[in-house]
Amino acid sequence: LRDFCACHVAWSGSQLRLPQPLPAVPEELTEATPNRYRYYQNVCTQSYSFLWWDWARWEQEIDWMALNGINLALAWSGQEAIWQRVYLALGLTQTEIDEYFTGPAFLAWGRMGNLHTWSGPLPPSWHLKQLYLQHRILDRMRSFGMIPVLPAFAGHVPKALTRVFPQVNVTQMGNWGHFNCSYSCSFLLAPEDPLFPLVGSLFLRELTKEFGTDHIYGADTFNEMQPPSSEPSYLAAATAAVYQAMTAVDPDAVWLLQGWLFQHQPEFWGPAQVAAVLGAVPRGRLLVLDLFAESQPVYVRTASFQGQPFIWCMLHNFGGNHGLFGALESVNQGPTTARHFPNSTMVGTGMAPEGIGQNEVVYALMAELGWQKDPVADLGAWVTSFAARRYGVSHGDAEAAWRLLLRSVYNCSGKECRGHNHSPLVRRPSLQMVTTVWYNRSDVFEAWRLLLTATSTLASSPAFRYDLVDVTRQAVQELVSLYYEEMRTAYLKKELVPLTRAGGILAYELLPALDQVLASDCHFLLGSWLEQARQAAVSETEAHFYEQNSRYQLTLWGPEGNILDYANKQLAGLVADYYAPRWRLFTETLVESLVQGVPFQQHQFDRNAFQLEQTFVLGTRRYPSQPEGDTVDLVKKLFLKYYPRAVSF
């Protein structure tokens, strides 16, 4: 269809210009994929993006998966309801269970053993709704021939288990993500303890009784957590215990393992430690996700995971951040390089973003590569074709804009390359902020200008209007960095007027203008995200609780800013009421420092900024969930005011 009809289906909307009836596909154009699996999701995607989805949104996503050829995907909804049954059967009280589960926005890290308790408990209605969703998700996936990956027991247990079984052999892990042991330091069952196979088989039996099975299960015992011992014998035993608990219930079980642990702590995971894990499961029964292969492939330094099959994955996005970013050349070449690696055991390609709904060009390319033996021959021609498909018509300026983006933001390489947005716009201000990027900002500004020239032809396209907002957002992000550098230079030179001018423009003019542009598109509304949370509730108390979960995740992440701004988003409302107030405070603090002749105190500023951040998180202001204003008109006004400044920096 892509060639015949110039169709385009994406998270920001669909452009389907389909002739009726649909044309037959000539036999000579059919080709078998070289990849047994086309995988989708990251455990974190469930929390950063899928969190508040109802069935209608899930159905849309599964259809998108089918259109992109996905045949292997996580299906992890509803598992806490199953765990609740298991824990009750083991003798825990409902109160102990409620105290163990995290809140909805942090379940991904509860599932991997990183967190417990934080921002909980889960209401009873949550379990009922998630069970309902999981049944529908599985039915839909299976109807398309997809293989849903169900969760399995990784070894983490509630502390309350030690009350019921005082002799149980558990190890308390270290803290995670700057959380103290009130919320982290999970308890890990010893692999030799008789409770390990009991808990693991109880869970999987109850899970498969409820949902059926397709025999592939996901579990991560040491995700971003250092094991209690580096002895290969311990690591092998811990791995074997997880697998044996699976096969006790399902003799055909295959374990899907996120390979992130080997990448995240390479100093711990030496050759002997990696070999212990990979060798503890029969060859072919461990399916490893090389999760960050476009940037830091693990198969290269583990001899193709020592014979275990693996899926070459593109992680791409951390925290569901906005920000134009991609390493398209690396993505394009990576799967073929892996396939040709000596004694390669690669069996598929995958998309494993922490959060979706951004940088759709990157996922469009990765989806195509799942069907190809070789890289795209000419990425410039490919991205030109992508623009035409996306907007439903060829337009020279729009296509030229995309080629500029390809050579700049989507050509990430070098030490400045990062898939996590560290722009000063979305970070708590300081005098040590990094503004270097891997591309020429002038390419972004020129792409912005070119897209704007195409509005007379393409403005009726929702995808075009989305891209116009997104590229404008990126241009403003670049401008924030440039005005910040002016502020810092002026402050260090003790020049009050330039400091006041640059800080005033950034905090009082530029960010409010950005907020207005974002407010014109439904995909960039804080109100939409918070409204989804509220609609998932069955009472006003629950709605407030869910909304606060959402606000925490976007900002402080933990009660004290433990993973501050990790999941930053550029949303209307969030820019106006969270990022802009911080920048106003920073500007005012620097000005006050110069006027009074006292040094800027970062620690004091951080305390004051935390008060602003916490006020936002605990706030109850309702935000629009429908777009306001005309995108093109708002972008033109912002462009006319700031583009001349952008090209003169």
Side-chain angles (χ1 to χ4, degrees), residues 12 71 90 165 176 178 276 314 350 425 472 482 610 616:
S12 63
N71 67 351
L90 288 169
F165 302 99
W176 176 86
H178 308 292
M314 174 193 78
L425 194 164
T472 301
L482 297 174
F610 177 73
F616 172 82

Side-chain angles (χ1 to χ4, degrees), residues 209-386:
K209 177 182 164 187
E210 179 76 34
F211 298 127
T213 185
D214 297 84
H215 310 294
I216 301 185
Y217 307 95
D220 297 286
T221 305
F222 301 118
N223 179 72
E224 297 189 358
M225 292 187 294
Q226 186 159 309
S229 169
S230 62
E231 283 297 319
S233 58
Y234 168 78
L235 295 170
T239 306
V242 174
Y243 177 69
Q244 287 161 10
M246 293 180 195
T247 54
V249 176
D250 182 355
D252 298 322
V254 173
W255 179 0
L256 183 80
L257 174 72
Q258 292 191 133
W260 180 254
L261 74 167
F262 304 133
Q263 186 278 330
H264 182 70
Q265 287 187 305
E267 69 286 348
F268 177 90
W269 293 99
Q273 288 71 32
V274 172
V277 168
L278 297 176
V281 179
R283 189 167 291 183
R285 304 297 284 276
L286 186 68
L287 180 55
V288 184
L289 300 175
D290 201 348
L291 212 65
F292 198 23
E294 83 276 22
S295 180
Q296 298 175 33
V298 175
Y299 76 86
V300 176
R301 60 181 175 86
T302 57
S304 205
F305 291 99
Q306 302 196 359
Q308 294 286 15
F310 76 93
I311 296 175
W312 189 100
C313 290
M314 174 193 78
L315 197 156
H316 178 259
N317 179 275
F318 291 87
N321 299 164
H322 292 122
L324 300 184
F325 163 78
L328 288 191
E329 190 57 46
S330 176
V331 168
N332 189 33
Q333 299 293 332
T336 302
T337 302
R339 198 175 291 114
H340 293 154
F341 188 72
N343 301 312
S344 177
T345 51
M346 175 181 162
V347 293
T349 57
M351 297 182 277
E354 285 192 349
I356 63 166
Q358 37 69 36
N359 292 291
E360 291 167 345
V361 64
V362 179
Y363 299 89
L365 176 64
M366 192 66 239
E368 284 199 23
L369 292 172
W371 293 91
Q372 297 186 187
K373 293 186 179 73
D374 302 309
V376 170
D378 183 343
L379 277 179
W382 181 88
V383 85
T384 301
S385 171
F386 169 84

